[in-house]
Structures are given as structure tokens and as C-alpha cells.
Amino acid sequence: MFGTTDSPLMDLPQDDTRAPASRPVRFSAEKAATPSAQCSSCMLRHICMASNLDDSDVARLNNVVRNWRMVKQGQALYRAGDPFQSIYAVRSGSFKTVLSHQSGREYVSGFFLSGETIGLDGISTEAHACDAIALEDSAVCVIPFHLLEALCREVRSLQQQVHKMMSAEIVRETGQMMLLSNLTAEQRVAAFLLNISARLQRRGFSPTSFTLRMTREDIGSYLGMTLETASRTLSRFQQEGLIRVQGKQIDLLDLEALDMR
Amino acid sequence: MFGTTDSPLMDLPQDDTRAPASRPVRFSAEKAATPSAQCSSCMLRHICMASNLDDSDVARLNNVVRNWRMVKQGQALYRAGDPFQSIYAVRSGSFKTVLSHQSGREYVSGFFLSGETIGLDGISTEAHACDAIALEDSAVCVIPFHLLEALCREVRSLQQQVHKMMSAEIVRETGQMMLLSNLTAEQRVAAFLLNISARLQRRGFSPTSFTLRMTREDIGSYLGMTLETASRTLSRFQQEGLIRVQGKQIDLLDLEALDMR
DNA sequence: CGTGCAATTGAGAAGTTTCAAAAAGCGTGG
DNA sequence: CCACGCTTTTTGAAACTTCTCAATTGCACG
């Protein structure tokens, strides 16, 4: 995870990204062998796609989400241009999504924690628009999208959940654009720390003490500033007693003051 | 529209945003009175939600999209906080979406031309996240979202189209974030002009001569700069012979050079 | 216990914003 | 139809934030 290093919960590094795309969507497929009933017993169930589903629907979802995959730190879950077949729910660990510009520049467009969903960008063109890189050794649930779509045609609550997830991603990005265009470097870094803090808290981690898994360069890119400015801003916050910084280890000392920025 | 003023195609300023939310979704509703078969004869059909649908599916969609609404210049199609019921396809005219920050600052998060869809931000929280303001006298098709969802459960191609639209909005915003965080003011303005140009061309308007319906302040906000910087940049482009500016009237003289920025 | 990547820090340069003033455009009402 | 008032746009100059380049330090991994 992000804050605390958790013991590896799984093995089976099966790569099942290559979904049976040509195979027609039969719902007999739902009844296929299911190694372990993940969703129903998953700790992330309430913050994942399965939230707001009743037990029987979770069981059906579970038949769509049959496989998961491990991704080692620094490795790509997918790359820009890869044909789109599945979306992914982060089981453990964390990811960044990276968009490359023609100029060779790279832009970190998002960070994703456990329970969050990656890959929605690929739906529109049927090819992924960015790279998804693991920030630490991570695992994802593989959700073949055509199966999910098929199930959404049958399960209304799931359909609504998927629509809400996509909409939430749109809203998140709108907020990020506002941040990039309106806030100072200080305000952006403060907002970033508070955002991470809130998301970790939601997952049961300390909201005030955590390890950033990404580099200063990643943070800077995500926040629209250079790595030096990101570093300097963190240092300044430390000098002012708002936070404590020790490399990637961060302690938030004054949440109120951070929010004031 | 954006470039050319088109004659008002319609009357009937019926406001039907208040959809029959409590009424159970019966598809008999699809057969209800349909004043005019809009979608099937709509010039925007191929760039709208109806693209990639066959005739019979367009007819069914048409029963969901039964009403449209006029919005006068400067008026709001919806406001942040309004309960979410419908999404809207721009029939004629154009809109901006505006996000307000706690600090009182406003941020223009997007511009929308005919055939484009507004309101997807409201799905996640069931309340709109921003204001949608008409940049000129405009008209929109009202698409009650619960009806659209119901139809998507029956018509696979429509379901896919809706998912692609949402994903495209995610990708668009990702690109905008990259623009905001990586490009100089000059590059942003150039990218903006080329983007508008391409979208107008797609709609059959001149890609090199058009009227911007938004103010310099809107442009600046959208591009993460002050209105003065936006204005100055346009002036500089004119001095360099890349464009011709006369207030809101823009002529692109050297598309290649603009693209080089 | 090096070696190399990541992070910090400094100082000057550059781009953008801010404040200010004037010009231009637009709609309204006489 | 023109005059008036208001908004929008343009342009200038100084101030400020952020970037760039550069050097140093710290940390992790082999």
C-alpha cells in the first residue's frame, strides 16, 4: 500500500490481460471456474467497484473479475497504445499513470491507490492513452471490459456504479485542472498532501504519517511544477512546522494550516 | 454555432429537465408521443451520441431524447449543486462549464460545441459539479439519464457509445492537464486555436476563420493564464503573421507554424 | 562500501502576473 | 440613429513566482 508496507497477500502472477476478445459474450462464462471468491471477502469491497452492490450481484461481478495480476515496482500494467481489453482495480500497492507528449516530455496524470480503478482512458479509442506504472510491487484485479459491459446490461446497480466511477474520474480531473491553473505551487503541494492523507485514511491508514511511493519528479510533474520546486516547497513547509519530511516519509503536523494554503 | 451564425432552427423553449424520476422505467415510455423525429434527421447525428447506431437504435434513442431546451446567452443550463437528472447534447450554439473554488475564483473547465455532451460530471454525486453557461443563444437536447441508462441495458451499441463518450471526456481532460502543466502560454494558446479549428472543421465550418464566442478572460481561465497573457499572446501571434485578430474574429494564417509552438 | 539515482539547496534567468491606463466594442435608451 | 455607459480588450512596466542550471548531499541497492 501507500503508507504501511503490507505483507504480500498473493502469489499467482498470472497475466491475463489478453482477454478472449473475439469470443462472443456468453453468460455461461459467468459460471466458469472461480478459483477464489475474491470480491465478497475483499477488504476493499466497500471502496471498490463492488460498493453499493448486494451480495448476489457481487457474486456475479466476481465471475467477471476472475483473475488478478502482479506488477513489480517500475513495471507497466499497460502502455500507451496497447489495445484496450480490461480495466483494473488496484488490489494492493499503487500506480501512476503517465502521458507522453510528442516533445518527449512526460506528464504524470494520476496516482492510484488500492480500490481505485485504472484504465478507463482506453475505452474511447480501444487503445490505452497512457502508461500505468507500478510505484511499488502491486497487484490488480483484471476486469475484462466487454464482460463488465455485458453484466452491466443485466445488473442495474452495477451499471450505475460503473457510470459513477467514470463520472468521478471526470470530476477528479476537473478539480486537478483547476488546481493546475489557479493555485500557487505551495497551494498545490498542500492540496496534494491533504488529498493523499484523506485517501489513506479511507483505507485505514494513518492520515498523518505515510510514505510517498513516488519521486519528487513524479510529484512535480503531477502538480505542474519542477521537481526542485516540489522539493523546496516541502522543505519550506517543514521549516514552518506544517510537516516533517524525511525523504519519502511524510508526517503532517498541522492539517489546518495546510488546508489554509 | 461557433463560427457562423445559423438561423434559429427551432422554437418550443420547453424546459423538461425535471424528468419523471420516480416513475418506473417502462419502455412503453419509448412509444410515447414524439413531436418530431429529431435524431434520425439531425445533421449532428454522426458526431453525437447517435453515431455508430443503426437506424432502429436511433429511433429508440429518439424516444429517450424527446425534448430540447433553449438557453439564452449568459444563462445557465444548470448550476453547480443542481440535482442531476439529465445530460445534454448541444444542438446549436456553445457552452462553457465553470467550476467555482472556495476562494471565490472561477475556473473554466471546458468549452462545448454542437454535438458535444454536457453534464457527465453530475452522474457521480447526483448533483452537478459545475455551472454550464451558454456562450451564445443555444439549444440542447435533454437526455434524462435514467432513461438513457435503461436503454443502454437493452441496446449494446448505445451502451458502448455512452462509455466511449465518458472515456473520451476523461482523455480530453488528461490532455488538458498535460497542457496546463507542461506547455508555455504560447503553446497553450496555439493548441487552443488549433483545437477549436479542428472541431469547427468537423462541423463543416471554416477551420481558418471563426468567431470566438468566449471572452479573453474565459480563454485565459481555461488555459491557466491571466486574460492579459492570453490577449498578449494573440497579439504576438498576429505580429508574427501566424493569425489575424480582430476582437473575437480570428483567422488562422499559418496552421503549420502554430502547430510548431 | 562504493556506485548511481534521488533529493536538496543556491543563484541568476525567464516567464507570467499584477496593477494601471487607455482604447475599442456593445447594447440600451433617448 | 446616435450618444452614453459599461464591459471587453489591448498595451505597458514593475514585481513576483517559478524555472533553469549547477553543485552537493543523502540514500538504497548490489
Side-chain angles (χ1 to χ4, degrees):
Chain A
M1 305 277 176
F2 224 69
T4 314
T5 36
D6 57 342
S7 52
L9 305 161
M10 66 301 284
D11 359 340
L12 279 180
Q14 287 189 17
D15 182 333
D16 191 64
T17 324
R18 39 187 166 52
S22 52
R23 190 213 295 166
V25 182
R26 286 172 280 96
F27 267 89
S28 59
E30 271 192 65
K31 301 214 174 128
T34 303
S36 60
Q38 302 119 338
C39 293
S40 53
S41 63
C42 180
M43 297 208 327
L44 297 166
R45 177 177 161 180
H46 63 293
I47 52 173
C48 180
M49 194 178 306
S51 67
N52 301 324
L53 299 191
D54 66 30
D55 288 344
S56 69
D57 293 335
V58 169
R60 299 188 76 184
L61 175 61
N62 206 125
N63 286 322
V64 166
V65 190
R66 285 200 309 281
N67 292 289
W68 47 272
R69 183 176 150 189
M70 296 196 69
V71 188
K72 282 222 168 358
Q73 181 175 67
Q75 283 189 336
L77 173 59
Y78 56 78
R79 294 252 175 219
D82 285 358
F84 170 75
Q85 255 136 15
S86 301
I87 62 176
Y88 306 91
V90 181
R91 274 172 80 82
S92 66
S94 51
F95 288 81
K96 64 176 175 181
T97 48
V98 182
L99 195 63
S100 332
H101 191 246
Q102 49 190 44
S103 65
R105 283 166 175 273
E106 293 199 330
Y107 169 66
V108 175
S109 57
F111 298 117
F112 296 84
L113 308 189
S114 58
E116 295 173 338
T117 302
I118 323 183
L120 298 173
D121 57 280
I123 298 168
S124 67
T125 61
E126 294 173 46
H128 285 289
C130 60
D131 300 351
I133 311 288
L135 291 171
E136 57 196 302
D137 291 356
S138 303
V140 296
C141 301
V142 178
I143 307 168
F145 193 66
H146 67 292
L147 290 180
L148 182 66
E149 277 187 328
L151 189 55
C152 281
R153 271 178 262 127
E154 305 209 341
V155 179
R156 188 174 153 191
S157 53
L158 179 62
Q159 181 196 35
Q160 291 181 332
Q161 187 62 22
V162 169
H163 288 164
K164 286 190 178 188
M165 278 176 35
M166 291 190 173
S167 175
E169 180 66 4
I170 290 171
V171 173
R172 178 191 79 78
E173 291 192 342
T174 306
Q176 189 68 9
M177 293 192 296
M178 144 99 75
L179 175 146
L180 288 169
S181 99
N182 272 333
L183 305 189
T184 65
E186 263 196 359
Q187 293 173 317
R188 289 180 226 176
V189 173
F192 168 74
L193 292 173
L194 290 171
N195 176 275
I196 295 288
S197 165
R199 284 154 77 192
L200 289 173
Q201 183 165 38
R202 185 115 195 280
R203 286 159 181 76
F205 295 108
S206 167
T208 54
S209 180
F210 48 85
T211 307
L212 296 174
R213 300 325 263 249
M214 72 293 287
T215 66
R216 297 290 192 266
E217 183 162 24
D218 288 335
I219 297 172
S221 174
Y222 180 64
L223 296 177
M225 62 187 74
T226 59
L227 68 96
E228 292 95 330
T229 300
S231 176
R232 268 188 260 269
T233 306
L234 288 172
S235 299
R236 198 170 327 127
F237 282 169
Q238 174 161 245
Q239 282 186 333
E240 299 174 22
L242 304 186
I243 66 175
R244 209 167 70 97
V245 187
Q246 276 184 123
K248 292 185 154 39
Q249 172 63 31
I250 303 285
D251 294 79
L252 304 188
L253 306 176
D254 191 343
L255 294 169
E256 312 250 331
L258 274 178
D259 202 36
M260 291 288 88
R261 304 300 171 108
Chain B
M1 305 277 177
F2 226 69
T4 313
T5 36
D6 57 341
S7 53
L9 306 163
M10 66 299 284
D11 357 340
L12 278 179
Q14 287 190 17
D15 182 331
D16 192 65
T17 324
R18 39 184 169 53
S22 52
R23 189 212 295 165
V25 183
R26 285 172 282 97
F27 269 89
S28 58
E30 273 191 65
K31 301 214 176 128
T34 303
S36 60
Q38 302 120 340
C39 291
S40 52
S41 63
C42 180
M43 297 208 326
L44 297 165
R45 177 178 161 178
H46 64 293
I47 52 174
C48 180
M49 195 178 304
S51 66
N52 300 324
L53 298 190
D54 65 32
D55 288 344
S56 69
D57 293 336
V58 169
R60 299 188 75 184
L61 175 61
N62 206 126
N63 286 321
V64 166
V65 189
R66 284 200 309 282
N67 294 288
W68 47 271
R69 184 177 149 188
M70 296 196 69
V71 188
K72 282 221 171 354
Q73 180 175 66
Q75 283 190 336
L77 174 59
Y78 56 77
R79 294 248 174 226
D82 285 357
F84 170 75
Q85 255 137 15
S86 301
I87 61 176
Y88 305 91
V90 181
R91 273 171 81 81
S92 67
S94 52
F95 287 82
K96 65 176 175 182
T97 48
V98 183
L99 194 62
S100 333
H101 191 244
Q102 50 189 43
S103 64
R105 284 167 174 272
E106 293 199 332
Y107 169 65
V108 174
S109 57
F111 297 116
F112 296 85
L113 309 189
S114 58
E116 294 173 339
T117 302
I118 322 182
L120 297 173
D121 57 280
I123 299 168
S124 69
T125 61
E126 294 173 49
H128 285 289
C130 58
D131 299 351
I133 310 289
L135 291 171
E136 58 196 303
D137 290 356
S138 303
V140 296
C141 301
V142 178
I143 306 168
F145 192 66
H146 68 292
L147 290 180
L148 182 65
E149 277 186 327
L151 189 55
C152 281
R153 271 178 264 127
E154 305 208 341
V155 180
R156 189 174 152 191
S157 53
L158 179 62
Q159 180 195 37
Q160 290 181 332
Q161 187 61 21
V162 168
H163 288 164
K164 286 189 178 188
M165 280 176 34
M166 291 189 171
S167 175
E169 180 67 3
I170 291 171
V171 173
R172 177 191 80 79
E173 291 191 344
T174 306
Q176 189 68 8
M177 292 192 297
M178 144 97 76
L179 175 147
L180 288 169
S181 101
N182 272 332
L183 304 190
T184 64
E186 265 197 359
Q187 294 173 316
R188 288 180 226 176
V189 173
F192 169 72
L193 292 174
L194 291 171
N195 176 274
I196 294 289
S197 166
R199 283 154 77 192
L200 289 174
Q201 182 164 40
R202 186 115 194 280
R203 286 159 181 77
F205 296 109
S206 167
T208 54
S209 181
F210 48 85
T211 307
L212 296 173
R213 300 325 263 251
M214 71 292 287
T215 66
R216 299 289 192 266
E217 183 162 24
D218 288 335
I219 297 172
S221 174
Y222 180 63
L223 296 178
M225 63 187 73
T226 58
L227 68 97
E228 293 94 330
T229 300
S231 175
R232 267 188 260 268
T233 306
L234 289 172
S235 299
R236 199 172 325 126
F237 282 170
Q238 173 161 244
Q239 282 188 332
E240 299 175 22
L242 304 186
I243 65 176
R244 209 167 70 97
V245 186
Q246 276 184 125
K248 291 185 153 48
Q249 171 63 31
I250 303 284
D251 294 79
L252 305 188
L253 305 176
D254 191 344
L255 295 168
E256 312 250 330
L258 275 177
D259 202 36
M260 290 287 89
R261 302 301 173 108

